[in-house]
Amino acid sequence: MSTYRSLSDPELVDLLKSGDQAAFTEIYDRYWSIMYAHAYKMIKNREEAKDLIQEIFSTLWLKSHLLTEDTNVSGYLYTAARNRVFNLMSQHKTRHDYFNAIARFATEESTATIEHLEERDLEAAVEREIQLLPPKMREIFELSRKQNLSHKEIAEQLNLSDQTVKKQVQNALKILKPRLRDAGTGIAILLFFR
């Protein structure tokens, strides 16, 4: 094992590509604490930082055969960590926080200003909630609201009864309205779900 400590990163990568577990262990030992500190600095959560770094090293081991001879292992690990941190941060941007920001803005500003809310942000908020609907309900709802198809047209297209389509749209509205209203986007609901 001590012989591996004296190897350079490119030498370790070369051994790792052939499935050398000792080379992987040396890379792990060499970079784990640095990568953990890097991830923790960005996400400020010890457990999530540990999990994130474990995933990166697991992926490195599982995909080691895909590495090239000129792979810079430290660059590879830093890039992987940065990308996973960004993904994690976007997941943490919870809907609740997003909707609270819109609600705060709406209560602080005049009705005239509310009209100037960026339409795409509003649409994105509504779209996120639509994507959480059950698949068949979402499909029917999108055909109704986005493609402006009648219940009859949707029923024919999906080989369903008119009544089933009507019920699915009603159920979707029952789910969506409270979620969006509770999150402070009541104005958006009136515009989108009239």
Side-chain angles (χ1 to χ4, degrees):
M1 198 60 169
S2 60
T3 57
Y4 282 86
R5 286 195 190 117
S6 62
L7 295 176
S8 67
D9 283 359
E11 290 170 319
L12 289 171
V13 167
D14 193 44
L15 292 168
L16 178 61
K17 281 175 52 175
S18 63
D20 189 319
Q21 200 165 14
F24 172 77
T25 302
E26 177 57 31
I27 291 171
Y28 183 91
D29 291 343
R30 199 174 282 187
Y31 286 101
W32 191 93
S33 59
I34 296 168
M35 297 310 302
Y36 169 76
H38 181 63
Y40 178 72
K41 187 171 145 186
M42 290 192 282
I43 58 178
K44 306 284 191 242
N45 182 305
R46 294 184 192 286
E47 291 309 310
E48 286 182 345
K50 284 179 187 175
D51 290 347
L52 186 139
I53 298 307
Q54 283 306 123
E55 287 174 25
I56 290 169
F57 278 104
S58 294
T59 302
L60 176 67
W61 174 251
L62 294 171
K63 296 189 175 182
S64 59
H65 63 285
L66 299 175
L67 298 173
T68 60
E69 286 155 15
D70 60 343
T71 297
N72 175 335
V73 74
S74 64
Y76 172 91
L77 292 170
Y78 276 103
T79 300
R82 185 194 64 212
N83 292 342
R84 285 182 191 256
V85 165
F86 288 155
N87 288 342
L88 190 63
M89 288 173 140
S90 71
Q91 289 169 9
H92 280 204
K93 195 99 176 118
T94 62
R95 293 187 323 262
H96 187 69
D97 290 344
Y98 180 84
F99 289 134
N100 279 343
I102 291 177
R104 245 188 341 272
F105 180 81
T107 55
E108 291 167 4
E109 302 298 325
S110 69
T111 305
T113 307
I114 291 170
E115 292 171 8
H116 296 298
L117 278 172
E118 288 189 42
E119 190 175 320
R120 72 189 158 101
D121 288 346
L122 201 51
E123 287 175 4
V126 172
E127 185 60 32
R128 273 196 294 279
E129 289 300 334
I130 291 171
Q131 293 307 311
L132 295 173
L133 292 172
K136 187 51 102 177
M137 184 184 292
R138 182 177 69 230
E139 181 183 15
I140 291 170
F141 185 79
E142 287 178 333
L143 288 171
S144 170
R145 288 304 192 267
K146 292 182 180 177
Q147 295 185 25
N148 295 317
L149 297 180
S150 68
H151 291 171
K152 183 177 176 66
E153 290 169 324
I154 297 169
E156 288 172 5
Q157 185 174 327
L158 299 179
N159 200 22
L160 298 169
S161 72
D162 288 6
Q163 193 58 35
T164 300
V165 171
K166 182 179 179 182
K167 192 69 178 159
Q168 287 290 317
V169 170
Q170 288 173 344
N171 288 342
L173 289 171
K174 280 182 190 170
I175 292 169
L176 292 170
K177 282 183 180 180
R179 283 185 190 168
L180 292 168
R181 189 177 295 120
D182 291 346
T185 57
I187 295 160
I189 295 165
L190 295 175
L191 297 174
F192 190 77
F193 298 115
R194 59 186 182 278

